[in-house]
Amino acid sequence: MKLYFEAAKFVDNDKGSLKNRVFNSKLSNSPKHVYALVISTLKYKEHIDTIIRKSRLKDVPQLKKLKVSDALLSLLVQDFLFSPKGRIQSGKHPIKEAFLLNKTRMQAELTKLKLKHKVKSVAELPLKEGFDDDETPVRWIRVNTLKTTPESLMKNAFFSKLTEVGSIEDLTSPGLIFKDKIIQNLYGLHPREKITGTQAYTHGEIIIQDRASCFPAEILNNDPSDVHVNVIDATAAPGNKTTHAASFATKNDGLVYAFERDSKRVNTLKMMCQRATGKARKNLIQAVHADFTTVNPTDFPSVTGIIVDPSCSGSGIFGRAIEDANANEQSKEETDETRLQKLAGFQFKIMKHALSFPKAHKVVYSTCSIHPHENERVVVDLLSDPEVKKAGWKLAPRDVVISSWPRRGWEEEFTSLSEDGEIRKQYAGGCVRAVPKEDGGIGFFAACFVRDKQ
Ligand code: SAM
């Protein structure tokens, strides 16, 4: 509950910049986490107030007795109904218990609110002016070619009404669509386009997936002479990259193994894979609840391509997703530097395991972090590792790593590998980076490791 008590101080107090006030206060919780919670509450305040009013929360005797303030109530409603996790971030507490006694009423009011605004998800609810800035600049959708084709999708009732524009900057309102020039079968829409209510979405014909998050499967398969049909997604849930990789693996008895360590997330992964493949291709993806680092590489003699998108700091994520990314971290009292180093150690370990699969000749590493610790530095450590070197792994040349994407790895991070500027540029060319918002979505990093086919 401490998180909510601390955050409550900022909800109704609008004296000066919220960011400055939160980050300059002495808090026992992470300021980043408090800020994300408050900003999201303010963003949905109008809807939160409606739910509090209609479900008569302020009249609930148990909450009155506990003297729950309006600000605290708003924060609780935000986390319970509007956050990606949909839960109260606290252990047992009388306020939490009294609040949750009313969950059915609150959920019913949220359903009514969504019906009123004709939306399926809270992310599509109209917002108070000024809060749109926290949203993604573009809603990216990938056509799921396991179920349909872009041509037939564009003929359906929803898509045929959209007007095509030439750049993401032209996506100034709903009703417009942009065909991406970098990723095949990817389209950009205005973030307020009501996409989750369409049949195409509910039938799994389109998948909402950020453009940069499509880089790994695209990098793995964008050489037509080297398309991977036996693939591993080492860290798979919720499964966006898995289903994308599967869309390339449809020939010659293709099979994608998707590993996930977390017992809850593996269920989401399975659901997402079933929805994307449908009954016709139900054997294309094998979702496995396991820690990838414990999997024996020799049990997978046909796997040629691997995607490793491990847990990371999530520093490239913004808006609503930030809460999701930080939710597991907030109790840890670690400095950012210590945390980044721990993450980098885990990222190195899991990548090194991926690089030990006997027939693998292409491994794509990615994070949604902007920190070099988790990106170029992990790559440098792997390239310097004697076993990795002995196994013949190198960083791929730029021409096979989405060469038209202008933002590459940071050259200066490769200094320990070479003093020659040209060589450092080649290393950086084997990596891509995306800057949050500026590049049309989340911050991202990907690097492609290759070796001769064995
Ligand atoms: N690639 C996913 C996508 O695009 O939908 C997102 C992956 S998310 C960044 C990282 C996932 O890796 C988390 O679900 C986490 O539980 C899982 N994970 C972390 N360590 C793992 C391990 N050793 N083995 C398998 N899964 C792991």
Side-chain angles (χ1 to χ4, degrees), residues 221-443:
N221 294 297
N222 66 2
D223 174 357
S225 66
D226 188 29
V227 172
H228 294 256
V229 293
N230 274 285
V231 176
I232 284 180
D233 185 345
T235 50
N240 286 318
K241 295 176 189 74
T242 311
T243 55
H244 192 194
S247 71
F248 291 95
T250 51
K251 295 199 185 95
N252 307 333
D253 291 330
L255 180 55
V256 179
Y257 299 96
F259 292 99
E260 174 53 50
R261 180 175 67 175
D262 185 283
S263 59
K264 281 198 190 128
R265 289 174 68 90
V266 78
N267 292 332
T268 314
L269 171 69
K270 285 181 180 164
M271 205 180 67
M272 173 115 177
C273 293
Q274 272 165 15
R275 187 151 152 230
T277 53
K279 281 196 187 125
R281 297 189 195 268
K282 69 176 177 8
N283 297 324
L284 180 59
I285 302 174
Q286 197 174 314
V288 188
H289 180 205
D291 179 335
F292 174 68
T293 58
T294 65
V295 167
N296 185 352
T298 55
D299 290 343
F300 298 85
S302 330
V303 167
T304 57
I306 305 182
I307 291 175
V308 183
D309 180 47
S311 310
C312 70
S313 64
S315 53
I317 295 174
F318 51 85
R320 295 176 52 73
I322 235 176
E323 297 157 58
D324 198 23
N326 285 340
N328 298 328
E329 310 298 332
Q330 60 120 1
S331 58
K332 294 181 190 157
E333 286 171 13
E334 287 168 357
T335 62
D336 274 358
E337 191 69 26
T338 316
R339 186 172 154 237
L340 289 177
Q341 252 145 33
K342 274 193 185 168
L343 283 164
F346 154 73
Q347 290 150 352
F348 173 86
K349 181 179 165 200
I350 200 159
M351 259 306 279
K352 194 166 165 192
H353 190 62
L355 296 174
S356 73
F357 278 63
K359 269 279 158 59
H361 63 262
K362 203 172 199 183
V363 175
V364 183
Y365 171 67
S366 62
T367 72
C368 53
S369 165
I370 55 170
H371 299 302
H373 312 62
E374 301 175 270
N375 298 334
E376 289 88 350
R377 292 182 201 170
V378 172
V379 171
V380 167
D381 286 350
L382 287 163
L383 292 172
S384 315
D385 184 88
E387 282 167 350
V388 173
K389 277 195 208 170
K390 194 169 165 223
W393 290 103
K394 298 188 184 76
L395 216 46
R398 175 173 176 154
D399 59 357
V400 295
V401 191
I402 321 183
S403 57
S404 61
W405 183 259
R407 217 182 286 277
R408 315 306 295 188
W410 289 352
E411 288 173 32
E412 64 276 20
E413 290 293 337
F414 294 95
T415 309
S416 65
L417 294 182
S418 175
E419 285 179 5
D420 182 332
E422 261 319 297
I423 296 176
R424 287 203 299 264
K425 193 172 176 174
Q426 282 170 22
Y427 283 124
C431 312
V432 278
R433 268 182 172 267
V435 171
K437 294 194 184 180
E438 201 177 318
D439 289 338
I442 61 167

